[in-house]
Amino acid sequence: MTLTVVINGAEIPIGTDKIIIKGKKRYLTSRLLYFTLKTFSQMPRLYGVADSDPVKAWKRNFEQKYASILSSHLDPGKIRLKGEFTLLAKRFAISGKIDGNGLKVTVDLLEKPSNVSTGLRGMVEVDSFYFTGIERPKPSLIPGSKDGFLGGFHRFLVLQTESASGIPKTLGIISEYINSIVLPQGFSTNVLGRVVTIDEKEGLFLDGEPLYNVDPEMLSLIGLKLSLDMAPENGVVVLEDPEAHLSDENKDVVKEWIDKYKGTMVIVTCDNIFSNGKVIEA
C-alpha cells in the first residue's frame, strides 16, 4: 500500500503487517485512525459540476465531501474524538483537526496535473489524476468491549431479508462493530470445538445455549473469530484489547488467528504477548 496516516504526531504506515499502539491515548489514536481510513475508503469520485478551474474545484469538493462523510460517522453516535490527523496518499494529503470548535479538513495537492481541459472534461481529468493508482483499504474495528456488545446485540448480526437489520448509528462504537458482522440464515461455525449456530428468531447460540448466557472468555473468542473471518482481505483491522478475558492458553490461540490475517493489523494492547510488531507510543 502507499498510504501513511499520522495521528497526533504518531506516524502509522498502512501496509505494515502488524502495528502495536500503546500509551495513554492508544484508544483515541486507534479510533481516529479507523474513522480517518473509513472516510477515505468511502469517498466517491468527484466529477462534480463544470468549473473554470477544475483543480481548485476538485480540492474544494474533496474537502467538503470528506468532512461531510466523517461527520456522518461521528455525530449520530456522539463519538467525541479530539486530535489531528493527516493521510498521505500518492499525490495529495488530507489533514484534519477535531476539537471543541468542530471539524476542519484541508487537502494539500502534492502534485498537479498539467494541460487540464476546462469544464466537465477537466473535472474528470483531475479526478482521474488523483484517484488513479491509490489504494483505499477498508478498515474494521473490533472494540475492547466486544464480549458485552456481542452478548447484548447478537440478534442483530443475523441477515433478516435483503440486508442486515443492524442497529442505528446513534449507538456509536457499538454500531460500528455489530453492523460489520452479517451472518446468513443457517450460519454455523466452530470455535475451539464448540458450535455457534443461528436461530432465526432468537439470534446466536453456542452449543444450544443463548449467546447472552455464555461466559466472557468464550464471548471474546467468538467475537474475535467472527470479526477476523469477515474482515476484508488486504484491509486494516483495528483490534482493541485482544487479551481481554483470555487465559494464557487462549491468548496463544488468538495470536495464531491474528497472524493469519492478510492485511494490516493494528493492535491496541498493553500485553506483551501481542506486541511483536512496529510499536507506536500514543
Side-chain angles (χ1 to χ4, degrees), residues 100-118:
N101 297 318
L103 166 65
K104 181 180 180 181
V105 174
T106 58
V107 172
D108 293 319
L109 303 180
L110 307 178
E111 299 179 23
K112 292 184 179 181
S114 58
N115 302 319
V116 177
S117 304
T118 58

Side-chain angles (χ1 to χ4, degrees), residues 178-191:
I178 294 298
N179 293 345
S180 70
I181 304 172
V182 180
L183 306 176
Q185 299 288 351
F187 170 87
S188 68
T189 190
N190 186 297
V191 180

Side-chain angles (χ1 to χ4, degrees), residues 35 68-80 168-173 175-176:
F35 284 108
S68 175
I69 294 174
L70 181 53
S71 295
S72 75
H73 292 313
L74 301 180
D75 293 348
K78 296 181 173 60
I79 299 172
R80 304 303 184 209
K169 283 188 175 182
T170 51
L171 291 176
I173 294 298
S175 66
E176 291 293 327

Side-chain angles (χ1 to χ4, degrees), residues 142-158 167 173-175 177-183 187 191 196 202-206 210-227 230:
I142 308 176
S145 302
K146 54 193 168 295
D147 58 308
F149 296 164
L150 190 66
F153 293 90
H154 67 97
R155 293 185 183 185
F156 295 92
L157 303 179
V158 183
I167 57 177
I173 294 298
I174 300 176
S175 66
Y177 175 59
I178 294 298
N179 293 345
S180 70
I181 304 172
V182 180
L183 306 176
F187 170 87
V191 180
V196 178
E202 297 297 327
L204 268 66
F205 282 69
L206 179 68
L211 212 62
Y212 51 74
N213 288 333
V214 175
D215 66 81
E217 180 170 27
M218 199 64 207
L219 272 175
S220 291
L221 289 166
I222 294 170
L224 282 165
K225 188 69 165 60
L226 292 177
S227 297
M230 299 199 70

Side-chain angles (χ1 to χ4, degrees), residues 258-269:
I258 290 172
D259 289 342
K260 290 179 180 178
Y261 177 66
K262 296 180 180 179
T264 298
M265 181 69 65
V266 180
I267 304 174
V268 184
T269 184

Side-chain angles (χ1 to χ4, degrees), residues 4-101:
T4 297
V5 182
V6 181
I7 304 293
N8 294 326
E11 186 173 306
I12 304 171
I14 304 303
T16 302
D17 290 342
K18 198 178 297 178
I19 297 166
I20 315 301
I21 299 180
K22 295 185 174 185
K24 292 182 179 180
K25 295 184 178 180
R26 59 190 183 278
Y27 299 111
L28 172 63
T29 300
S30 63
R31 292 183 181 187
L32 190 48
L33 170 68
Y34 167 74
F35 284 108
T36 298
L37 289 172
K38 182 173 183 178
T39 301
F40 187 56
S41 72
Q42 294 178 340
M43 281 293 295
R45 300 299 294 266
L46 299 171
Y47 299 137
V49 180
D51 193 282
S52 59
D53 190 333
V55 175
K56 284 186 178 180
W58 187 90
K59 177 180 183 296
R60 181 179 63 250
N61 292 342
F62 194 108
E63 291 170 342
Q64 293 173 349
K65 192 64 178 179
Y66 191 96
S68 175
I69 294 174
L70 181 53
S71 295
S72 75
H73 292 313
L74 301 180
D75 293 348
K78 296 181 173 60
I79 299 172
R80 304 303 184 209
L81 298 177
K82 291 185 178 181
E84 298 180 357
F85 63 88
T86 299
L87 187 151
L88 299 168
K90 185 178 180 181
R91 289 172 167 165
F92 61 94
I94 309 164
S95 297
K97 183 177 182 180
I98 306 174
D99 56 23
N101 297 318

